[in-house]
Amino acid sequence: MNSALVAYAEVETTLAAEAFLSGREQHLATSVEQARAAERLADERYSAGLDAYITVLDSQRSAFQAEADLIAARRLRLDNRVDLYHAVATLRRMKKKLEQRVLKAPPVQARPEPRIALSFNGRTGCASSLRLATPLLLITLRATQCDTIELCRE
């Protein structure tokens, strides 16, 4: 039972991480596009003689860093998907084992109400309890679910 809760928690965690990582990957893709545009602009400004070459190098470094961050985010997302598939597979195995146990289990049969066999003056019968009264004592016999008879003093 505890392992099932852990497996469900893993699935829930990886699904939440998938949503977060997807959003992060989209933002980083936008960042890469903007860094590449900045790199092109810096190159054009250098070609026009408006900026130093250090500006071009700095914009290239920023673009490469943005691309590296995007690649790392994609890898994290793929690793998370592997974890998600593993957690779902664990749940499926647990479900299959539970189904096999249920199918192998004998059907549950209702126990009959406990009865006491009676015999008095040649007549027989059954009851779930029997009350005997004597001048000194009142005794009640009750049959229980455990196939025993309780002796109760009233």
Side-chain angles (χ1 to χ4, degrees), residues 31-32 35-36 38 56-69:
S31 176
V32 166
R36 287 181 185 156
V56 174
L57 293 175
D58 189 42
S59 63
Q60 285 177 347
R61 182 191 52 78
S62 295
F64 290 144
Q65 184 61 49
E67 288 174 357
D69 291 345

Side-chain angles (χ1 to χ4, degrees), residues 116-118 120 126-134 137-143 149-154:
I116 299 172
L118 305 173
F120 182 72
C126 289
S128 58
S129 67
L130 172 67
R131 221 172 162 157
L132 301 174
T134 64
L137 193 57
L138 181 61
I139 299 174
T140 303
L141 298 175
R142 285 192 198 106
I149 297 176
E150 284 181 346
L151 186 61
C152 304
R153 201 170 186 187
E154 296 182 5

Side-chain angles (χ1 to χ4, degrees), residues 6-21 80 83-84 87:
V6 170
Y8 276 111
E10 285 178 7
V11 169
E12 185 177 348
T13 301
T14 54
L15 284 174
E18 177 68 24
F20 171 77
L21 292 172
N80 185 64
D83 293 341
L84 176 62

Side-chain angles (χ1 to χ4, degrees), residues 77-135:
R77 190 171 176 203
L78 292 173
D79 287 344
N80 185 64
R81 284 184 183 171
V82 169
D83 293 341
L84 176 62
Y85 295 144
H86 178 70
V88 169
T90 301
L91 280 177
R92 285 185 179 167
R93 279 193 306 270
M94 294 174 97
K95 179 183 174 190
K96 194 172 187 179
K97 285 180 183 178
L98 182 62
E99 287 172 349
Q100 288 173 350
R101 279 190 208 160
V102 169
L103 291 176
K104 288 181 181 178
V108 177
Q109 296 179 355
R111 290 191 68 165
E113 181 183 336
R115 308 295 274 177
I116 299 172
L118 305 173
S119 179
F120 182 72
N121 288 340
R123 294 183 182 171
T124 59
C126 289
S128 58
S129 67
L130 172 67
R131 221 172 162 157
L132 301 174
T134 64

